[in-house]
Amino acid sequence: MAESLVGDLTPLDNVPKPEKSRRERTTMTFLTSSLLSASSTNVGDAGAQINAAWEEYEAGETLESKYVHDVDKLELLLQMVEYERRGEGTVDLGEFVHVAKGIQLGEMKVWCREVLRERKAFWEGKGKVPSHVGDVEKILAEEKEEEKEKEKEKEGEDSAREGGEGYEVEKGETGQGQ
């Protein structure tokens, strides 16, 4: 909501984070207190509820707020790729790739990587190497590391089920298998 008046400020706008937060907080106060309460007498506490939801989003601690932050980042990456495609290989917006590093949730990382793979394929199809390709490669390599970690976890679970070393035996003692 605050972006409707403040604008969608990105790190490339060189607005310090505290200033961006101040602008957005002032705007939300205006929208949820001044403007909303002035527009209707039976709004009730809608303004307070909207403001509380925005504060939750800003804190970024709940699953829902993390999801919305991730969607915002993914949407930026999708715009980046769309604009590059529209430019038919003449527009390189790789300076926005760094946003992918901030995506937190596993499902969103999967989608993000897919977008970055599509971008990579687009540029390869044009016979060009886009900017920030190293950042993209690092992000895609993280996927392989995560897969290795999952495989190790699975192997550990399988080993425990098969009666591997250190499992519990009679009377709660641990042993080396008997």
Side-chain angles (χ1 to χ4, degrees), residues 3 8 10 71-87 91-94 96 115 119:
E3 289 177 1
D8 190 5
T10 71
V71 167
D72 190 43
K73 289 173 178 66
L74 185 61
E75 190 266 340
L76 187 148
L77 294 171
L78 288 166
Q79 279 186 9
M80 173 190 72
V81 172
E82 180 60 27
Y83 291 149
E84 288 178 337
R85 286 181 180 153
R86 285 185 186 176
V91 177
D92 182 344
L93 299 172
F96 292 103
V115 170
R119 177 179 188 258

Side-chain angles (χ1 to χ4, degrees), residues 4 9 21 26 68 82 107 145 150:
S4 66
L9 300 174
S21 294
T26 300
V68 175
E82 180 60 27
E107 298 87 354
E145 289 299 316
K150 286 180 185 177

